[in-house]
Amino acid sequence: MATLADIGVSALINILSAFAFLLAFALLRIQPINDRVYFPKWYICGGRSSPRSSRNFVGKFVNLNVWTYLSFLNWMPQAMRMSESEIISHAGLDSAVFLRIYTLGLKIFIPTAIVALLILIPVNVSSGTLIFLKKELVVSDIDKLSISNVPAKSIRFFVHIALEYLFTIWICFLLYKEYDTIASMRLRFLASQRRSVEQFTVVVRNIPHTSGRSVSDAVDNFFQKNHPNHYIGHQAVYNANKFAKLARRRDRLQNWLDYYQLKFERHPDKRPTAKTGFLGLWGGKVDAIEYYKKLIKDLDKKMTLERQKIIKDPKSILPVAFLSFDSRWGAAVCAQTQQNKNPTLWLTNWAPEPRDVYWRNLAIPFFSLTIRKFIISMTVFALVFFYMIPIAFVQSLANLEGLERVAPFLRPVIELKFIKSFLQGFLPGLALKIFLYILPTVLLIMSKIEGHIALSTLERRAAAKYYYFMLVNVFLGSIVTGTAFEQLHAFLHQSPTQIPRTIGVSIPMKATFFMTYIMVDGWAGIAGEILRLKSLVIYHLKNMFLVKTERDREKAMDPGNVDFKETIPSLQLYFLLGIVYAVVTPILLPFILVFFALAYLVYRHQIINVYNQQYESAAAFWPHVHSRIIASLLISQLLLLGLLSTKEAAKSTPLLVILPLLTLVFHKYCKHRFEPAFRKYPLEEAMAKDVLEKTAEPGLNIKAYLADAYLHPIFRSFEVEEELVQVRVDKPQAQEAASPSSELSSPSPQHVHQSFPPHYDYSAPPPQPYYYHPPSPPHYVYHYQVEP
């Protein structure tokens, strides 16, 4: 059991680590050579240019301005300067609401910590029960500050119960206000959002096979019949795996061509050469520029033939399509209603925004989704179970005194003062952090196998799995496993009737382990997040060995994004620890407060200067955050109820029974009051926005605007040249090429025109996916590709 001295050693190590990380960041960020690592967000949005371009040779690498070193901590006030509305405009609503979770934590735990420390600590310390149990249990000075120090049948338990009611009321009040505020923010964000293609688009899955009809004809016939006034067409999805491989190969060839052309521009007196053998290591020497131009030209011909082959093959069309509507109201009606008497057919839902689509999963047959989800559920259960083994080992490090009694031969090594303090105060939290490092990636892969078609949904599902894992393994597993090691000696030397009492008393004793975990993960870990050491090293390695063109340098920058699948479950663990231990061991609350304050500052800086979100879900994750904070309240109440039952507090314990019921009633009310704003789009809002838009832009051609909205990303870098190859799709059995001049009329839903450029310019960077501009020709471009 860690003592106050052990906790002090751990605090010293983690405070020094956090300070070192923050100091290193403050110095590294002002060096010109690192500018793209610490300010990539501004490069992407065009608000910053490289400081190395206008400096001398040394100044391109090292900051020679002495004043900047004296004010190197100015990043802290700068991070707080941007208002919430500016953050929404700059980074999106997801990022703004993510930051509000940290402010909610501060609002909850600052008053809670003050009240608990001023009232409960004196109540617990003055009881002195653990002094008489030292011979039976492994206890520390910190345990004397917890509820374990209160004697059985004590009237003092009324104080703990009263504060549990008070804390629950305070947390529910803040949760209600926060849910109301975020729901209003979401509706305002959607109402003020400029026109975007996902507002007019619905995805339909599990399209039934109709004898004698293609998938495209079946879709048109069904939705023209059931949505005749608003349906204007659909965009088919093709399974073109071979074409994707050709596109990736062409991208690599174009990159080499750019490199050699840039090399020739710098040294025009000498034409660059390349070897034609494997990886350019051997073979005859040829003119590199002409060689790669020829390879690209030959590959373009293959890609054009492969595209036409895909279009002519009816089997390449998947039973999924993106439906286009002429109004938001029409799209909302289709997305939010059942389309067929068979609820498993013609499944419609709002289409994710184009950059949020996970294209690979569109090819998964609908009937396999249930099987996939069942298999993944069983796999997650097994993963949670088997992870208990390393968790048990970690807990053995956290309970050395208990281990000494079982294995006395380890005593000579363990009793060395520094080793003992290090093992108990720092190593357990670090070891648990290492065990959890790869877990979010594994859970994300599992979520992808389940078949979700949106990146945001994938991350929310992975976050849910990670939360359950943290709840079972990190929280409950740490308590149960730690108790087994810690109380093994007592269990073997007492009657079975005393075991429940021993477990009830020892649950608060795990606060010392969670203190070390918070310091490692929440103090040093968060400070390490702002340093971006991994991204810094990778960027400079790529710059030295892989970067050949400016486009390569942009890719090497890698701004990253808020990793919702890992950060939100970790946040919910901190809420759980704070809420559970507020009444049981309130001395843990200051550790929680330091985490929330430091993390808020760090993530505010990262969101403003570094992260570039892949998608915008308009805070769709908030209902999950709310529900899991409610779950933390219920766990806290049930844990206190069980703890008091071991204390023989028969007079005070029944007062707690009603509290979980009241908490569930509050949760149900919030769910019905606010959650629809996160699940459905109000028809009133959709109609109001449609009317406003038609008044402001009466001549808007919505067909042209939606033409190539859901084009697969590998096609977005294609630049249409003067001569286009036109393909008209009337029936799956009849496709023919047409000239550009003959097929420029606006398409009807039954006849969709396909436009394919014979040559593609990969050198140009792809457009930013957040902006959607209508294409020049007023006809549809309906080509999609799904990778394996």
Side-chain angles (χ1 to χ4, degrees):
M1 177 62 65
T3 63
L4 283 175
D6 299 330
I7 295 298
V9 170
S10 177
L12 179 63
I13 293 174
N14 286 286
I15 289 173
L16 290 177
S17 300
F19 180 78
F21 288 149
L22 294 174
L23 181 62
F25 160 73
L27 296 176
L28 288 172
R29 69 185 285 273
I30 61 178
Q31 308 306 320
I33 195 174
N34 299 326
D35 204 59
R36 289 181 181 270
V37 178
Y38 294 110
F39 299 97
K41 176 72 173 179
W42 295 102
Y43 280 91
I44 292 172
C45 65
R48 192 179 184 92
S49 58
S50 176
R52 305 179 66 191
S53 57
S54 59
R55 299 180 183 230
N56 56 37
F57 179 76
V58 177
K60 288 182 178 181
F61 300 93
V62 181
N63 190 343
L64 302 177
N65 187 350
V66 179
W67 171 249
T68 57
Y69 289 92
L70 299 178
S71 58
F72 66 93
L73 293 178
N74 63 353
W75 67 270
M76 294 184 182
Q78 288 175 0
M80 302 300 297
R81 199 168 295 161
M82 188 177 284
S83 66
E84 186 176 73
S85 59
E86 291 172 332
I87 289 178
I88 293 174
S89 301
H90 177 67
L93 185 62
D94 281 345
S95 299
V97 172
F98 175 72
L99 291 176
R100 288 187 70 95
I101 302 176
Y102 291 96
T103 59
L104 175 65
L106 292 173
K107 291 176 184 177
I108 288 175
F109 292 117
I110 289 177
T112 301
I114 294 173
V115 173
L117 293 175
L118 291 179
I119 296 178
L120 288 181
I121 293 295
V123 170
N124 295 336
V125 170
S126 59
S127 299
T129 299
L130 293 180
I131 296 175
F132 304 103
L133 294 177
K134 278 189 175 182
K135 294 181 179 180
E136 297 180 34
L137 301 171
V138 178
V139 298
S140 71
D141 294 333
I142 293 177
D143 297 322
K144 298 173 186 177
L145 306 177
S146 72
I147 197 174
S148 298
N149 203 35
V150 180
K153 300 182 181 180
S154 174
I155 196 173
R156 299 182 183 213
F157 288 125
F158 283 104
V159 178
H160 297 85
I161 293 174
L163 287 184
E164 182 72 15
Y165 269 91
L166 179 64
F167 295 159
T168 299
I169 293 171
W170 173 243
I171 293 170
C172 289
F173 170 72
L174 291 177
L175 282 176
Y176 179 86
K177 287 187 62 178
E178 199 69 16
Y179 215 149
D180 188 18
T181 301
I182 293 175
S184 300
M185 289 173 63
R186 175 180 167 87
L187 292 176
R188 284 198 303 270
F189 179 78
L190 295 175
S192 62
Q193 198 177 26
R194 59 186 172 184
R195 181 173 61 249
S196 55
V197 292
E198 68 270 13
Q199 298 170 358
F200 301 88
T201 308
V202 175
V203 62
V204 57
R205 304 182 74 182
N206 205 28
I207 300 171
H209 174 71
T210 304
S211 179
R213 283 186 177 175
S214 67
V215 172
S216 294
D217 286 342
V219 170
D220 282 332
N221 180 70
F222 184 86
F223 287 97
Q224 283 175 348
K225 178 180 178 181
N226 295 289
H227 299 269
N229 299 324
H230 298 282
Y231 171 73
I232 60 175
H234 73 277
Q235 303 182 3
V237 180
Y238 291 87
N239 193 347
N241 301 329
K242 185 177 178 181
F243 184 85
K245 294 179 181 178
L246 294 174
R248 287 192 291 269
R249 182 185 171 194
R250 192 194 188 285
D251 196 19
R252 292 192 295 268
L253 293 176
Q254 183 66 51
N255 211 35
W256 279 108
L257 178 60
D258 293 342
Y259 167 68
Y260 284 118
Q261 287 177 335
L262 183 63
K263 187 176 181 180
F264 181 63
E265 288 177 6
R266 292 174 178 172
H267 305 283
D269 55 326
K270 183 180 179 180
R271 296 279 295 186
T273 60
K275 293 182 179 180
T276 59
F278 178 72
L279 295 178
L281 298 177
W282 56 74
K285 284 188 176 182
V286 295
D287 185 292
I289 295 176
E290 296 301 324
Y291 174 67
Y292 281 102
K293 281 184 177 180
K294 184 178 183 303
L295 289 178
I296 291 173
K297 184 177 180 180
D298 294 341
L299 191 58
D300 282 345
K301 294 178 181 178
K302 291 182 181 179
M303 292 177 71
T304 302
L305 293 174
E306 181 63 25
R307 275 187 133 191
Q308 293 175 354
K309 180 181 176 181
I310 292 168
I311 296 301
K312 292 178 182 179
D313 184 9
K315 295 181 181 179
S316 66
I317 302 178
L318 299 173
V320 58
F322 292 97
L323 311 176
S324 299
F325 292 83
D326 63 0
S327 66
R328 296 171 183 83
W329 190 91
V333 171
C334 181
Q336 298 170 181
T337 55
Q338 181 176 316
Q339 304 301 315
N340 190 270
K341 61 183 178 181
N342 185 344
T344 64
L345 299 178
W346 299 104
L347 300 176
T348 56
N349 209 334
W350 284 106
E353 59 170 310
R355 61 179 178 170
D356 191 18
V357 177
Y358 186 66
W359 297 91
R360 293 174 182 237
N361 282 357
L362 289 173
I364 297 175
F366 178 79
F367 70 90
S368 70
L369 293 179
T370 303
I371 300 174
R372 286 167 172 260
K373 290 178 181 178
F374 175 76
I375 293 174
I376 292 301
S377 298
M378 295 296 99
T379 306
V380 170
F381 177 81
L383 182 67
V384 169
F385 177 79
F386 285 110
Y387 242 78
M388 290 294 290
I389 298 172
I391 295 294
F393 172 73
V394 169
Q395 289 306 310
S396 70
L397 295 176
N399 301 275
L400 297 183
E401 285 93 342
L403 193 59
E404 279 183 5
R405 294 186 179 182
V406 180
F409 59 88
L410 295 175
R411 184 170 298 173
V413 177
I414 294 174
E415 286 302 320
L416 295 175
K417 187 173 181 181
F418 177 77
I419 292 178
K420 183 177 180 180
S421 296
F422 177 77
L423 289 178
Q424 290 197 320
F426 180 72
L427 190 59
L430 179 62
L432 183 57
K433 180 69 176 174
I434 293 173
F435 277 125
L436 298 177
Y437 182 73
I438 64 170
L439 191 62
T441 302
V442 174
L443 296 177
L444 181 63
I445 293 173
M446 290 182 177
S447 297
K448 289 179 179 179
I449 295 173
E450 283 182 321
H452 304 289
I453 64 171
L455 293 173
S456 56
T457 306
L458 287 174
E459 292 207 347
R460 287 198 295 273
R461 295 307 304 161
K465 295 178 180 67
Y466 193 39
Y467 169 75
Y468 297 134
F469 182 90
M470 300 279 276
L471 175 63
V472 174
N473 276 290
V474 179
F475 182 70
L476 298 177
S478 295
I479 291 175
V480 174
T481 309
T483 299
F485 275 86
E486 192 167 286
Q487 310 305 332
L488 182 58
H489 183 270
F491 289 167
L492 296 176
H493 296 84
Q494 65 181 4
S495 63
T497 57
Q498 294 297 311
I499 292 179
R501 173 177 174 271
T502 305
I503 293 177
V505 172
S506 60
I507 284 176
M509 297 179 187
K510 295 312 302 174
T512 54
F513 167 75
F514 289 121
M515 288 176 189
T516 64
Y517 178 77
I518 291 169
M519 287 187 285
V520 172
D521 181 71
W523 295 8
I526 289 296
E529 172 69 24
I530 200 172
L531 181 58
R532 304 198 77 212
L533 185 60
K534 178 182 174 182
S535 299
L536 179 70
V537 172
I538 291 176
Y539 172 77
H540 286 302
L541 287 176
K542 286 183 176 180
N543 234 4
M544 291 173 61
F545 300 109
L546 300 178
V547 170
K548 299 182 290 291
T549 65
E550 191 62 28
R551 186 173 58 148
D552 287 340
R553 186 168 286 106
E554 294 292 334
K555 290 181 179 179
M557 191 164 58
D558 186 24
N561 52 73
V562 178
D563 193 2
F564 290 121
K565 67 181 181 297
E566 181 177 2
T567 53
I568 290 183
S570 298
L571 256 174
Q572 290 158 349
L573 176 66
Y574 285 105
F575 276 103
L576 175 63
L577 293 176
I579 292 172
V580 166
Y581 281 98
V583 174
V584 175
T585 310
I587 195 64
L588 183 132
L589 292 178
F591 295 84
I592 297 280
L593 285 176
V594 172
F595 160 75
F596 276 107
L598 180 61
Y600 176 69
L601 181 64
V602 166
Y603 279 110
R604 215 174 197 278
H605 173 274
Q606 300 296 82
I607 284 171
I608 293 172
N609 297 300
V610 179
Y611 297 146
N612 186 44
Q613 291 303 110
Q614 288 181 282
Y615 58 83
E616 175 59 57
S617 69
F621 57 82
W622 176 254
H624 302 282
V625 175
H626 174 90
S627 298
R628 286 159 198 164
I629 296 177
I630 292 292
S632 300
L633 277 174
L634 292 172
I635 292 171
S636 170
Q637 295 156 7
L638 295 176
L639 178 60
L640 184 60
L641 189 64
L643 185 60
L644 292 181
S645 66
T646 66
K647 291 283 192 176
E648 303 175 13
K651 294 182 179 179
S652 56
T653 302
L655 296 176
L656 269 178
V657 175
I658 194 174
L659 191 55
L661 299 177
L662 295 176
T663 305
L664 286 173
V665 170
F666 168 77
H667 174 57
K668 187 175 182 180
Y669 172 77
C670 288
K671 188 178 179 68
H672 285 86
R673 170 66 179 83
F674 300 115
E675 193 168 317
F678 294 83
R679 299 287 178 261
K680 298 179 180 179
Y681 187 41
L683 294 180
E684 181 183 19
E685 295 286 332
M687 180 61 74
K689 198 160 187 178
D690 286 335
V691 171
L692 182 64
E693 185 175 78
K694 289 179 180 178
T695 304
E697 301 178 69
L700 175 65
N701 186 349
I702 198 66
K703 289 184 178 181
Y705 176 70
L706 298 174
D708 61 351
Y710 283 84
L711 195 64
H712 192 278
I714 68 167
F715 297 118
R716 288 196 176 276
S717 58
F718 297 165
E719 186 174 276
V720 180
E721 299 181 0
E722 294 181 3
E723 184 179 0
L724 300 176
V725 177
Q726 302 287 340
V727 178
R728 179 185 177 96
V729 182
D730 289 319
K731 299 290 180 184
Q733 296 81 7
Q735 287 93 0
E736 59 183 7
S739 65
S741 58
S742 63
E743 297 294 336
L744 286 179
S745 57
S746 181
S748 65
Q750 300 94 328
H751 303 288
V752 181
H753 300 280
Q754 313 274 351
S755 303
F756 309 114
H759 304 290
Y760 315 112
D761 181 10
Y762 277 80
S763 61
Q768 291 296 323
Y770 191 77
Y771 303 96
Y772 308 106
H773 303 290
S776 299
H779 59 272
Y780 275 44
V781 183
Y782 279 12
H783 266 288
Y784 301 89
Q785 187 273 341
V786 179
E787 299 177 16

